[in-house]
């Protein structure tokens, strides 16, 4: 059935309605969604995943909007996922401040939505990885993960993205310390947005100093650059796109792109396996109920029951001897 | 090896030092502890597990101490686990207020310690269930689970115990409402401690009313009794022990004791299975690494990789067709 799933086919053709429906299914963990994501996996290795993070007020949304327009002018298709760790289910609602992205409204080459990740186990959200698979299989060339709010989202973005841009603005004062503490080391690119403001040159120099002090210049062959933008006017955005391209090339040459893909795939295989095992071990499954009975009757113990249920064959002689006093 | 494990043998003989060492291994999840608990399972269906819970200040510790002395006078051995959900690792330290249990110090028929349960997945703590297995296999006739602090611990105790005693004291005012809200329904026995205080008769009448209003009298054949104690003087403690015995008999006749054992065993089998699966799916395991490579190279997807790793055989034709555009 999977190979003729109409929703999967429509996602493959890049239909916006189908993408939206499937991502909603991902958030809700609807029946059949696991098979649909699996069916899309082999076509999903293509898009360049860029994370955009930084403190509130740094103008991330405006920057993402400007990046989207610039990428479209280069003929690239774009998907934007606003990763919101504070909400359990987004309902697919586009955030209030997305109104300014109305430039892209109606453009079938752009897909924008928020993804709720609250309640996701582990740091890296399964919903985020699955939504990336969908957008990539739908043919999006650039996939932007924008963090909304604070918290664990930055970590999610780093794990899932090939390139991470950390955005700051001049005059944040102590905010710069926040960047220094948490976000400095995850940046592949630093963006000093609103660079026409007073204090831009000072903030630029400070960022450069921090990078030098942090040993983040010239380490693994990638000098973390600091780019100045005025996102509201589109200034510096073309340069930023060029820098993303350069970083992707670097990631591919260094093998880091594949290393990250491998790590994320390992995580996903574990999620799938856990889900399957818990499904086999539901009340009412005859094998499982049989083992529960045997453990309760003290004919065996939970460890050996679990081994049998997973198809492992313990040394039966030892298992028998074990129970003897 | 398991059947000649010296630590397991010493626990079977009820040696206090061995019990302590094994419970510390449980908290630390040390290597080999899973096999040791499994080896003890078949001898662990004997002890009567009694949960003692209630608000701070209700005199739980004093009551448990008095119960321990009374049970010893009847020739029964006793294990006390102070379940502390707020700490990650108890270090086996006996809590400060345990000093008053010095009556029992040096008595090999009594074992007392705290068990840290913080960080345990799910409501029911694995450490608590495993520690009960150890005490039961060590021959303890009465195993008291005393909750320390607040929170999820009450739920743990209800799941693991055959009999739950909820302790309150006269004059708690709003505290009675707290009992009403959360603890009323989990009690198999209500204990009004410090019953020589002013207001005892009023509190007793209130508790009785609440039980009647809650429909907790004469339902499944067990009328939830309210017993008055003055634990510091030992008053009412013999009656309480008799009531515990009566309730255990009721649980056995009604089949509820077995139902709870079955549910706890189901949980434990799932824990074991999950642990085994995660062990099979570690980086560096050749099968797992092979599947991660295949998923990363887009030759397969995480779902089918997980199925193969768990020994399931998907429809290969469908899996192949799936990847085709």
């Amino acid at each position: 059935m999977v190979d003729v799933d109409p929703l999967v086919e429509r996602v493959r053709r890049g239909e916006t309605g189908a993408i939206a429906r499937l991502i909603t299914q991902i958030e809700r963990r609807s029946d059949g969604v696991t098979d649909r994501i699996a069916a899309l996996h082999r076509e999903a290795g293509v898009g360049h995943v860029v994370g955009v993070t930084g403190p509130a007020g740094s103008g991330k949304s405006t920057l993402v909007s400007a990046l989207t327009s610039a990428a479209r002018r280069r003929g690239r298709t774009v998907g934007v996922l606003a990763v919101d760790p504070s909400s359990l289910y987004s309902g697919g609602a586009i955030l209030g401040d997305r109104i300014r992205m109305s430039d892209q409204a109606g453009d079938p080459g752009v897909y924008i939505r928020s993804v709720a990740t609250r309640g996701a186990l582990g740091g890296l959200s399964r919903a985020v990885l699955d939504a990336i698979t969908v957008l990539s299989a739908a043919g999006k060339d650039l996939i932007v993960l924008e963090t909304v709010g604070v918290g664990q989202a930055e970590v999610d973005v780093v794990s899932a993205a090939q390139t991470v841009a950390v955005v700051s603005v001049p005059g944040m004062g102590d905010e710069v310390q926040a960047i220094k503490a948490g976000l400095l080391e995850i940046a592949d690119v630093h963006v000093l947005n609103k660079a026409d403001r007073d204090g831009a040159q000072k903030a630029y120099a400070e960022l450069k100093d921090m990078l030098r002090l942090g040993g983040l210049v010239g380490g693994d062959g990638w000098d973390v650059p600091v780019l100045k933008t005025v996102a509201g006017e589109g200034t510096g955005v073309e340069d930023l796109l060029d820098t993303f391209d350069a970083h992707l090339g670097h990631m591919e040459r260094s093998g880091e792109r594949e290393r990250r893909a491998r790590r994320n795939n390992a995580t996903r295989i574990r999620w799938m396996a856990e889900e399957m095992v818990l499904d086999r071990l539901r009340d009412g499954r005859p094998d499982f109920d049989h083992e529960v009975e045997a453990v309760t009757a003290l004919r065996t113990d939970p460890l050996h029951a679990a081994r049998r249920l997973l198809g492992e064959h313990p040394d039966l002689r030892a298992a028998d001897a074990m129970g003897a006093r």
Side-chain angles (χ1 to χ4, degrees), chain A:
Chain A
M1 280 301 290
V2 174
D3 46 330
V4 293
D5 187 312
L7 184 59
V8 167
E9 286 305 318
R10 288 176 55 213
V11 168
R12 281 179 180 145
R13 288 195 298 266
E15 287 182 25
T16 297
I19 296 170
R21 221 177 111 203
L22 191 48
I23 296 180
T24 297
Q25 291 183 359
I26 288 169
E27 287 185 315
R28 290 182 178 158
R29 307 195 62 173
S30 308
D31 284 348
V33 69
T34 302
D35 284 293
R36 291 194 176 101
I37 303 302
L40 291 168
H41 176 81
R42 295 196 208 179
E43 292 125 293
V46 187
H48 181 192
V49 184
V50 174
V52 176
T53 190
S58 56
K60 280 174 294 189
S61 296
T62 311
L63 184 68
V64 169
S65 182
L67 277 168
T68 301
S69 299
R72 291 299 292 141
R73 283 195 297 274
R74 295 185 186 190
R76 299 181 191 175
T77 54
V78 181
V80 177
L81 297 172
V83 180
D84 184 354
S86 66
S87 75
L88 196 55
Y89 170 55
S90 76
I94 281 155
L95 302 170
D97 63 356
R98 292 291 153 188
I99 289 159
R100 85 185 76 123
M101 292 195 85
S102 54
D103 286 3
Q104 282 99 28
D107 177 352
V110 178
Y111 180 80
I112 305 165
R113 76 172 279 162
S114 57
V115 181
T117 66
R118 204 180 77 183
L121 279 174
L124 183 63
S125 162
R126 180 167 171 180
V128 171
L129 286 183
D130 283 351
I132 291 170
T133 296
V134 171
L135 291 177
S136 193
K140 301 301 179 217
D141 301 309
L142 175 65
I143 297 164
V144 181
L145 295 184
E146 180 192 331
T147 56
V148 174
V150 287
Q152 191 63 15
E154 287 79 10
V155 179
D156 282 10
V157 163
V158 176
S159 301
Q162 278 115 27
T163 302
V164 174
V166 172
V167 186
S168 53
V169 287
M172 288 197 302
D174 284 352
E175 294 287 345
V176 176
Q177 297 304 316
I179 292 190
K180 194 177 179 180
L183 296 177
L184 189 71
E185 281 157 36
I186 69 171
D188 300 307
V189 180
H190 274 282
V191 180
L192 185 67
N193 193 27
K194 305 183 186 176
D196 54 349
R197 278 195 184 174
D198 284 351
Q201 199 48 46
K202 183 165 167 284
Y204 180 84
E206 275 178 17
L207 269 170
K208 281 284 200 184
D209 277 353
M210 280 198 284
L211 291 170
R212 206 166 17 242
L213 289 170
L216 297 169
V217 175
D220 67 338
W222 176 256
D223 285 350
V224 176
V226 182
L227 276 88
K228 294 185 210 166
T229 58
V230 185
E233 299 168 6
T235 311
V237 174
E238 295 291 340
D239 280 355
L240 186 55
L241 268 187
D242 289 342
T243 306
F244 288 165
D245 289 349
H247 184 255
L248 183 65
H250 170 76
M251 292 287 277
E252 277 166 354
R253 285 188 302 276
S254 71
E256 182 63 20
R257 181 181 183 159
E258 207 185 325
R259 267 192 294 279
R260 289 197 191 180
R262 215 181 281 131
R263 190 192 52 204
N264 287 345
N265 287 328
T267 301
R268 298 169 95 164
I269 294 173
R270 287 190 194 105
W271 281 331
M272 298 290 165
E274 270 190 88
E275 212 167 72
M276 282 177 214
V277 168
L278 289 178
D279 185 63
R280 277 195 217 170
L281 272 51
R282 271 189 293 110
D283 294 322
R285 300 276 294 215
D287 283 7
F288 180 66
D289 286 353
H290 174 83
E291 292 291 348
V292 173
E293 281 308 314
V295 171
T296 304
L298 307 179
R299 290 195 303 272
T300 185
D301 59 79
L303 177 63
H304 290 82
R307 283 189 185 150
R308 276 184 297 273
L309 287 164
L310 290 184
E312 293 185 5
H313 305 288
D315 181 343
L316 291 173
R317 195 198 51 74
D320 284 347
M322 196 185 76
R325 270 206 126 113

